[in-house]
Amino acid sequence: MCVYLNTGSQESILPKEETVIEQTLFVKLGRWQWWFLVVLNVFFLIVGQTAAVLLGRFYYDQGGNSKWLATLVQTAAFPVLLIPLYFLPSSKDHATTSNPPSIKVLALVYFSIGVLLAGDNMMYSVGLLYLSASTYSLICATQLAFNAVFSYFINSQKFTMLILNSVIIVSFSAALIGVNDDSGGPTGVSRGKYILGFICTIGASALYSLLLSLMQLSFQKVLKRETFSVVLEMQIYTALVASFAATVGLFASGEWRRLHGEMVNYGKGRVSYVMTLVWTAVAWQVCSVGVVGLIFVVSSLFSNVISTLSLAVTPIAAVIIFHDKMNGVKVIAMLLALWGFASYVYQNYLDDSKARRRQADAREPQNDSSI
């Protein structure tokens, strides 16, 4: 979690372009306030993602079958973000550039990311429909490997041996799930649908990682602002576009005609049907705030690291709540995912320590000259 400029051969987890903004944020807030934001966003991400995945699986288990509705609820609760945005100071008062982006440029950025987000959510919905919650979460851990690749090409993130080790290990973890015949899906899901769910989840993980890198690039090159309101604005506008796209898909596919029957025949009753959808939507927004917040406060790479940690927690919760099968292969896959997570964290620690030493060395000549 390096917030200092590192000009050495091994760069910090933050690319050079982002460290300028992050250093200003760190100095302005102070060390403990910066860490408070990091911990708060980590909490939002882990709790939100775990609850959202479990509620999504519960929706399907109790008779829900609308993929477009499951896609819509992942972004539909974005209006709740208007509440904290209202109480935050306007980001326009804290712009770090005298040339803010035009409305057309902002609209293009939000629209592009929003459409990609809708497609990503759709693939996740298909994956969760045909996979158990534990299998789904373990496959999603591949987003860490994808994000390392996208960060290398888009965000100038260097590959170290620890990062390469983590990419390989996480890839092996997903491969184990893919070739394991006993991983299976929910009751009644054929092998063909299980494979479809596996492919959609892998594709969604790759697209999600691309989205994180594109968001980070947008903060660096387009937005160039340093208030948390910018994070909320990004989330609100992209979620608005994604929700509109999912609504169009819901009506164009004809699934909206089956929603009343779904509610009537829902296993836990109509009230439970509505509450499941509402709290799933809220949980996804809590998760999204954590994801985008960590991109802003730290980096897209660190955000994905914490997402991977959450994905390692979800299978345990799924075993307890849904009694998912946790065979030996799944246990090994989860341990590999945790190993990959630990490699990234240790790389963060090394980068942070190196950056602090460099800053201390840079201050010594200044202190000597002032004597």
Side-chain angles (χ1 to χ4, degrees), residues 96-114:
T96 59
T97 175
S98 57
N99 297 312
S102 66
I103 298 297
K104 290 183 179 179
V105 172
L106 283 177
L108 179 61
V109 169
Y110 293 145
F111 179 80
S112 301
I113 293 178

Side-chain angles (χ1 to χ4, degrees), residues 72-86 232 235-237 239-240 243 281-282 285:
L72 177 60
V73 297
Q74 293 182 50
T75 54
F78 72 87
V80 302
L81 301 180
L82 294 172
I83 299 174
L85 183 63
Y86 175 79
L232 292 177
Q235 178 59 26
I236 289 170
Y237 291 124
L240 173 63
S243 299
V282 172
Q285 286 308 305

